[in-house]
Amino acid sequence: MSRLWQFLATAILVVASFNAWSDTALGYQKPPSEILDLVDIKLAPSTFMDDKRENMLMLYRDTYKSISDLSKKEMRLAGLRIDPVTNIGSRVTYYNEMKIKHLVDGKTITVKGIPENARLANFQWSPDQKKMAFTHTTETAVELWYLDIAKAKAKRLSKMALNANLGNVITWFADSRSLLVKAVPENKRALIDTNSAVPNGPTISVSDGKKAQNRTYQDLLKNKDDEFNFEQLALSTLYKVTLKGKSKRWLDTAMYGDLSISPDGKYVLVNEVKRPFSYLVPYYRFASSTSVYDIDADLVSVIADTPLVEDLPKGFMAVIDGRREVSWRQDEAATLIYVKALDGGDPAKEVEFRDQVYQLSAPFKGEGRPLIKTFNRFYRITWGDNNTAIAQDYWWNNRNTKSYLFAPNDNSKQPRILFDRNYQDRYSDPGSFVTQRNQFARPVLAIQDGSLFLLGAGHSKEGQFPFLDSLSLNDQKLTRLYHSSYTDKLERLYDFEADKSRLLVRIESKNEYPNYYFRTLNSQKQALTQITHFENPFKSIQNVEKQVIDYKREDGLELSATLYLPLDYKKGEKYPMLMWAYPREFKDKSSASQNTQNPNEFTYPYYGSPIYWVTKGYVVLDDAAFPIVGEGEEEPNDSFRTQLVANAKAAIDAVDEKGLIDRERVAVGGHSYGAFMVANLLSHSDLFAAGIARSGAYNRTLTPFGFQSEERSYWEAPDIYYTMSPFMHADKMKTPLLLIHGNDDNNSGTYPMQSERYFNALKGLGAPVRLVMLPKESHGYRAKESILHVLWEQDRWLDLHLKPKQSQLSNAK
């Protein structure tokens, strides 16, 4: 047969294959067995461990929801997605089995009394950690349950229907014998069916001349009917419920948000959402009040009245001008903490200090006593005692963070800055301070012999070696107490018991499933005691060859990625490659070039992972570094496209130099901002044979007041918005692109219309593109049917465009 006829026969097969696959009425499909066997697995449990390290609660769940679960009635109001029948989030992850592992003798007991078809959530330890409260969602309501740890027995506490729509639904009182819960009001009014209700007039919005430059939030209120429904679903009545099942009304009906009991148990901090509502921002920026009640539900003081926040100053570091972040001081019986901006909440103002932290004691009247000023925007405080606390701040624009050591009860002592660093600089990260439970059962700094302790991830140029340090309160000297020396495993440090000189760690390798251990430091050879014995459910890929590779961009910037070879790899052969990445913005090249990937991390395929394709004869380059750097006055996005293409070329060159791939058969994939990256790469380079873009945004004029890490509005930087938008360059697209999007995406900026409009543009211009809209799915995909179909779509797309010969032969047979 002549080459001409061979070409024509091949073309006919490809066209026939593509047409057979382009059926718009296609039902849910499943990927091939090699991939399916890695998806349809039983998950290891989630774990809760008490602070005494005596018991571990293990919670089991189904790996995926079903499409029928996602198809239940749902209301999307003020940034929330609610099941209006049961009064809980419509996309909550539920557990259906509980076990208790006794860490002293190693015995595991299955909890008795769990209801049939259990849907368990909202787990809360009691202060004494002898009990665990949780909710069970039936077909009609959310119920209150609790678990007696010693008896390993669960019990329903009340038949009342709880309201889990707003804030925490369960709050333990300090006595561990009673709980404060939110119940659905007895006089709750029927909701309006907005799909069938007859409108009584238009919806009108008005601007009063103030700037209100907000992100493109989704699921916002749209009209008066939405306002009514939101209020009915947010209203709850507070009840005190004892462990004997007796209930007593505690506060009358209102839109309660978060609730918090004071450490001594004598007061309750109550947040309440109020009108006016907004059609521009989610519920957490509606008007609200924060008040203190005593244990008998008598109002003690209103701490903060916060108005509707629609018009914050411009910038990521903008905050309200008034009291914010009200909370309890964890090391005192009943002292409130709050923060006030010293710059009016406007990051554009030049001031020495940005924030001031205050404390306010009972009876919680007037202005509090100043505690500490922060140079940057306040982040958090880890409390210790009257003489010791650690405050942290941060500033997004220069990525700076500071940690302060200060004495809460002695203003004569000036705070000392312990760490002043770029928070994107992982190599200099000192770690997180170790905490322990105090007499109020609250986490406070672990202080022993005049020292604090820090647990660090241990990233460095030489690799990752997690560590434990002590910090002297006297001279702030750091002393290394332990560092992991594994070169073939990864040891993560989770906690340190200073009195026992014992670490809680998790150890894993690329083919060993993560398990928990105790490491005793003062014992011979720092002995390990294994706590859990979870098995690897992904054994078919446990021997995949995996390595972290380092390479350089054309401007000298050091990059890295995790490289996987096909399971059937044969030296000397060249394979197609799938590269997966996500762009990240940096303000300095040093941080951007740091390698934080570990080849010893367990190889864990999840629904969005590219790892599956090592079973199908592909080289996989995962988590390829895609830094976008803007130093000094330059913003990262000023050269976004140039850096994007340079990153991609450097990655392909690095793998090609190893002789592993056919660089004419390389695909690139990404999710969310990674999908945006894919569309730009295919439009502005010829490096790829195909692309996969999931749940992305492609027209930045639809997010005109900023996106991702871009603070400037469209009107301030129109060229940036135009240049970065793949939609504006749809005429340049010649590479096959698979677009996938959840039909009910709730992520800011990634409206489903982003993919729909981009597809229409590409189709109209004759570009090779396929659009898959997933019913009922949000920004991340949850239903098993959807996930299997997405994997099928991706597999077919890759085979069609990266393995044309194999694909044609398969279809010909």
Side-chain angles (χ1 to χ4, degrees):
M1 184 183 292
S2 69
R3 288 189 176 183
L4 175 61
W5 281 107
Q6 285 180 336
F7 173 79
L8 291 174
T10 298
I12 291 170
L13 283 171
V14 171
V15 171
S17 172
F18 190 83
N19 287 340
W21 185 33
S22 61
D23 181 3
T24 55
L26 190 69
Y28 287 111
Q29 301 294 309
K30 294 181 179 180
S33 59
E34 302 96 319
I35 294 175
L36 186 60
D37 291 344
L38 293 169
V39 180
D40 202 5
I41 54 97
K42 184 175 178 60
L43 287 174
S46 298
T47 59
F48 287 83
M49 194 180 300
D50 64 16
D51 288 335
K52 290 183 179 180
R53 306 296 182 239
E54 295 176 347
N55 296 294
M56 174 184 281
L57 179 62
M58 299 190 293
L59 307 176
Y60 297 81
R61 66 176 177 88
D62 295 332
T63 308
Y64 308 104
K65 288 181 176 287
S66 69
I67 196 65
S68 61
D69 291 331
L70 298 188
S71 298
K72 292 181 178 180
K73 189 172 182 179
E74 177 182 73
M75 285 191 169
R76 303 171 191 173
L77 301 165
L80 295 172
R81 294 196 168 183
I82 296 170
D83 181 336
V85 176
T86 57
N87 289 282
I88 193 171
S90 56
R91 298 177 185 244
V92 170
T93 295
Y94 290 114
Y95 295 87
N96 51 28
E97 185 181 2
M98 304 168 71
K99 294 182 181 180
I100 296 173
K101 185 178 183 67
H102 299 307
L103 301 182
V104 177
D105 59 18
K107 292 181 179 179
T108 300
I109 302 172
T110 300
V111 172
K112 297 179 181 179
I114 297 296
E116 279 190 52
N117 302 315
R119 294 195 293 170
L120 315 178
N122 297 300
F123 296 90
Q124 294 288 333
W125 278 114
S126 61
D128 63 10
Q129 295 196 326
K130 295 180 180 179
K131 296 165 279 289
M132 177 75 78
F134 58 93
T135 62
H136 165 54
T137 303
T138 70
E139 291 300 316
T140 58
V142 176
E143 299 177 341
L144 176 64
W145 285 64
Y146 93 104
L147 165 66
D148 185 312
I149 299 294
K151 297 178 180 178
K153 187 174 182 180
K155 176 184 178 182
R156 186 177 67 180
L157 276 181
S158 172
K159 292 183 178 180
M160 75 170 65
L162 302 188
N163 186 346
N165 289 329
L166 209 62
N168 51 329
V169 61
I170 300 171
T171 305
W172 282 95
F173 283 99
D175 60 7
S176 293
R177 297 194 298 269
S178 53
L179 305 103
L180 185 61
V181 301
K182 298 174 183 174
V184 176
E186 295 177 358
N187 60 348
K188 178 184 174 182
R189 298 165 65 185
L191 301 175
I192 297 173
D193 183 351
T194 54
N195 292 322
S196 60
V198 177
N200 57 15
T203 299
I204 298 172
S205 300
V206 177
S207 171
D208 61 2
K210 288 184 179 180
K211 291 183 178 180
Q213 300 185 9
N214 296 300
R215 289 268 169 146
T216 48
Y217 299 110
Q218 300 207 48
D219 300 338
L220 299 178
L221 301 181
K222 300 179 181 66
N223 50 50
K224 293 296 181 181
D225 289 345
D226 278 355
E227 289 190 45
F228 174 85
N229 286 340
F230 170 77
E231 186 167 33
Q232 292 306 305
L233 291 167
L235 287 169
S236 59
T237 308
L238 298 186
Y239 281 85
K240 183 177 182 179
V241 181
T242 70
L243 294 186
K244 293 183 178 180
K246 294 182 179 180
S247 59
K248 179 182 179 181
R249 183 185 291 250
W250 198 80
L251 270 185
D252 289 336
T253 301
M255 290 182 286
Y256 297 113
D258 287 329
L259 310 173
S260 175
I261 310 289
S262 64
D264 66 0
K266 294 181 179 179
Y267 300 96
V268 183
L269 189 64
V270 177
N271 175 261
E272 183 180 336
V273 176
K274 295 187 173 183
R275 286 181 175 273
F277 300 153
S278 171
Y279 299 173
L280 294 178
V281 294
Y283 78 93
Y284 50 82
R285 287 175 60 175
F286 291 177
S288 67
S289 67
T290 303
S291 304
V292 175
Y293 291 81
D294 65 21
I295 205 66
D296 296 318
D298 292 324
L299 179 63
V300 176
S301 180
V302 177
I303 306 302
D305 265 320
T306 305
L308 171 65
V309 183
E310 284 187 337
D311 53 354
L312 280 175
K314 180 178 174 294
F316 291 160
M317 302 311 299
V319 295
I320 62 170
D321 185 16
R323 293 181 179 182
R324 69 179 202 274
E325 301 187 47
V326 183
S327 63
W328 295 109
R329 181 172 158 178
Q330 304 284 45
D331 63 325
E332 289 204 341
T335 300
L336 283 175
I337 301 298
Y338 61 87
V339 184
K340 293 178 73 174
L342 299 176
D343 57 7
D346 187 352
K349 290 185 179 179
E350 295 293 334
V351 295
E352 183 178 5
F353 296 99
R354 292 288 174 182
D355 281 338
Q356 171 85 65
V357 184
Y358 298 82
Q359 75 171 26
L360 185 63
S361 302
F364 313 109
K365 307 290 185 182
E367 193 67 273
R369 180 174 70 83
L371 283 183
I372 185 174
K373 293 179 180 179
T374 58
F375 288 100
N376 298 319
R377 193 65 75 208
F378 173 82
Y379 177 45
R380 66 183 175 189
I381 291 178
T382 307
W383 302 99
D385 55 27
N386 289 340
N387 297 307
T388 310
I390 302 292
Q392 291 176 272
D393 66 15
Y394 76 107
W395 197 250
W396 180 87
N397 303 74
N398 59 7
R399 312 307 198 262
N400 180 253
T401 182
K402 294 178 174 63
S403 298
Y404 309 77
L405 172 65
F406 72 104
N409 286 16
D410 189 352
N411 282 4
S412 67
K413 294 182 179 179
Q414 289 297 312
R416 301 179 185 178
I417 296 179
L418 297 176
F419 309 113
D420 187 350
R421 49 182 292 273
N422 182 329
Y423 60 73
Q424 289 185 316
D425 179 1
R426 299 294 298 279
Y427 290 177
S428 71
D429 189 348
S432 301
F433 284 95
V434 175
T435 62
Q436 63 185 16
R437 281 161 59 90
N438 63 5
Q439 70 272 29
F440 302 118
R442 301 299 174 95
V444 296
L445 290 167
I447 305 174
Q448 186 179 69
D449 299 328
S451 292
L452 305 179
F453 304 93
L454 295 115
L455 295 172
H459 293 291
S460 69
K461 287 185 178 181
E462 292 73 33
Q464 185 179 2
F465 304 98
F467 61 83
L468 167 68
D469 282 351
S470 66
L471 174 74
S472 170
L473 291 173
N474 181 42
D475 58 9
Q476 289 78 61
K477 180 181 178 181
L478 285 169
T479 302
R480 184 64 42 94
L481 301 180
Y482 174 77
H483 77 272
S484 179
S485 58
Y486 286 118
T487 57
D488 59 344
K489 296 182 180 181
L490 171 58
E491 178 181 19
R492 302 180 192 271
L493 313 184
Y494 279 85
D495 199 9
F496 177 61
E497 299 169 273
D499 57 337
K500 297 180 181 178
S501 192
R502 186 172 71 170
L503 284 163
L504 173 65
V505 305
R506 196 178 80 171
I507 298 176
E508 62 193 89
S509 73
K510 67 179 182 180
N511 55 13
E512 294 177 5
Y513 198 86
N515 274 289
Y516 292 97
Y517 299 77
F518 288 131
R519 182 181 289 283
T520 305
L521 299 186
N522 58 9
S523 65
Q524 188 176 11
K525 296 183 179 180
Q526 300 170 335
L528 278 174
T529 302
Q530 189 164 354
I531 302 171
T532 62
H533 296 81
F534 303 139
E535 293 187 3
N536 181 1
F538 308 108
K539 291 183 179 178
S540 65
I541 61 168
Q542 66 179 1
N543 294 320
V544 62
E545 188 170 338
K546 173 183 180 181
Q547 57 182 290
V548 173
I549 62 171
D550 298 303
Y551 50 96
K552 288 186 178 182
R553 204 165 72 178
E554 59 186 6
D555 61 357
L557 190 67
E558 295 179 353
L559 305 176
S560 61
T562 303
L563 177 68
Y564 299 85
L565 299 187
L567 291 183
D568 60 356
Y569 171 71
K570 294 179 182 178
K571 190 173 182 179
E573 289 193 16
K574 292 192 174 185
Y575 296 84
M577 182 173 80
L578 172 60
M579 180 171 72
W580 210 266
Y582 190 94
R584 301 185 187 279
E585 297 84 355
F586 294 86
K587 286 299 292 179
D588 69 293
K589 290 182 178 179
S590 175
S591 299
S593 66
Q594 292 180 354
N595 180 1
T596 59
Q597 300 184 57
N598 193 318
N600 302 316
E601 188 173 11
F602 179 70
T603 303
Y604 194 122
Y606 64 100
Y607 88 87
S609 169
I611 306 302
Y612 298 106
W613 281 274
V614 298
T615 68
K616 296 292 302 296
Y618 290 85
V619 168
V620 173
L621 193 68
D622 193 19
D623 201 17
F626 265 70
I628 310 297
V629 185
E631 295 188 306
E633 295 300 317
E634 182 183 6
E635 291 297 325
N637 286 341
D638 291 349
S639 54
F640 178 85
R641 273 178 22 193
T642 302
Q643 294 192 60
L644 206 67
V645 173
N647 290 330
K649 183 178 183 303
I652 295 172
D653 287 346
V655 184
D656 188 30
E657 287 173 6
K658 294 179 178 290
L660 297 173
I661 60 170
D662 174 358
R663 65 182 302 142
E664 299 299 318
R665 294 189 292 154
V666 177
V668 61
H671 188 93
S672 193
Y673 206 56
F676 173 72
M677 169 202 75
V678 169
N680 268 299
L681 285 172
L682 300 192
S683 299
H684 304 294
S685 77
D686 57 0
L687 296 169
F688 300 99
I692 299 171
R694 298 194 313 240
S695 299
Y698 309 103
N699 183 351
R700 285 306 170 190
T701 67
L702 298 177
T703 54
F705 291 111
F707 57 88
Q708 200 70 5
S709 293
E710 179 56 67
E711 278 191 308
R712 295 168 292 187
S713 74
Y714 168 77
W715 295 274
E716 294 173 297
D719 289 345
I720 297 297
Y721 279 69
Y722 178 86
T723 301
M724 290 181 66
S725 294
F727 180 88
M728 306 302 181
H729 308 281
D731 58 324
K732 299 177 182 177
M733 176 67 77
K734 307 300 179 189
T735 307
L737 174 63
L738 174 62
L739 291 169
I740 302 175
H741 214 121
N743 219 18
D744 298 331
D745 195 330
N746 67 335
N747 186 54
S748 177
T750 54
Y751 295 105
M753 68 178 291
Q754 288 272 9
S755 287
E756 294 167 339
R757 296 286 175 84
Y758 188 39
F759 170 80
N760 289 338
L762 292 173
K763 182 177 176 65
L765 293 165
V769 61
R770 177 178 175 87
L771 172 64
V772 180
M773 300 299 294
L774 301 171
K776 309 298 181 181
E777 292 292 353
S778 187
H779 192 61
Y781 314 145
R782 305 289 298 278
K784 184 175 182 178
E785 295 88 340
S786 302
I787 289 167
L788 294 181
H789 187 85
V790 165
L791 294 171
W792 178 83
E793 290 278 0
Q794 294 178 162
D795 185 60
R796 291 293 301 270
W797 193 255
L798 293 172
D799 278 1
L800 182 65
H801 298 291
L802 270 66
K803 292 183 175 180
K805 293 180 181 179
Q806 292 91 325
S807 180
Q808 293 152 21
L809 289 173
S810 175
N811 282 288
K813 292 177 183 178

